[in-house]
Amino acid sequence: MAKTAIAAFVIYIALAFGLRSIVQWRRTGATGFKGISGEFGSLEWVGGAMFMVAFFLAPVAALLDGAEVLGPVSVLSAPLISVIAIALYGVGLAGTLAAQFWMGDSWRIGVDSSERTTLVTSGPFAHVRNPIFTALLTAAAGMALMVPNEVALVAFAAMFAAIEIQVRAVEEPYLLRTQGTAYAAYARRVGRFVPGLGTIEGAETKGGS
């Protein structure tokens, strides 16, 4: 499924990042890209760098599979895995686009500490605080399972770690600081990536209102 995996990767990048950035630019005058947060070597920087590693390794895994340089891990080579992979990818792509649409003008990639956007808590955001990341991980799992070799699994692990760092070390502190009690209350009742899990019971504001 190397060709399918490469096509899936290109489609995801084109729609979730390319097209969405164009839409954002036409609506707001900015693409929404804020870059990697933090100083070189900081936890925030490491999280951003791991995103880049994951996005680099995903197509490399497919190319290695297509060239028959690296085959799938034996436990993941069953035909059913391919069906599951396509299903996960489809759900993840659709979920990403839906959550991005619902986020509207507040959509960003990265954080600008001087900027304050509208806190979105409706639609998919009423059930999880980070539905775009949940959908991204779902799509990434699907792409990894299309060519489930060691490189693909490392790419998925890097994506998972990058999202955890980005959310916990960058976005949540930023939102608590800029959105204040509104985000604190939201975080206490809505899960981080899965409904009911990852709420922040003792969320405290660091400024804001």
Side-chain angles (χ1 to χ4, degrees), residues 147-163:
V147 286
N149 53 42
E150 288 85 349
V151 174
L153 298 181
V154 169
F156 178 76
M159 179 63 70
F160 182 87
I163 288 175

Side-chain angles (χ1 to χ4, degrees), residues 34-39 44-50 52 109-111 166:
K34 301 300 179 183
I36 297 176
S37 301
E39 297 181 357
E44 296 91 336
W45 184 91
V46 169
M50 292 185 74
M52 303 303 294
I109 294 178
V111 167
Q166 176 68 18

Side-chain angles (χ1 to χ4, degrees), residues 81-164:
I81 296 297
S82 297
V83 176
I84 294 172
I86 292 173
L88 286 173
Y89 172 77
V91 170
L93 176 60
T96 299
L97 299 179
Q100 287 179 335
F101 173 81
W102 205 275
M103 199 170 188
D105 292 349
S106 292
W107 179 77
R108 298 288 187 276
I109 294 178
V111 167
D112 180 349
S113 60
S114 66
E115 184 179 46
R116 177 172 178 171
T117 59
T118 301
L119 180 63
V120 180
T121 61
S122 58
F125 293 87
H127 306 287
V128 292
R129 301 198 304 276
N130 303 281
I132 294 176
F133 281 144
T134 299
L136 171 56
L137 276 177
T138 303
M143 285 186 278
L145 290 177
M146 289 178 189
V147 286
N149 53 42
E150 288 85 349
V151 174
L153 298 181
V154 169
F156 178 76
M159 179 63 70
F160 182 87
I163 288 175
E164 284 284 347

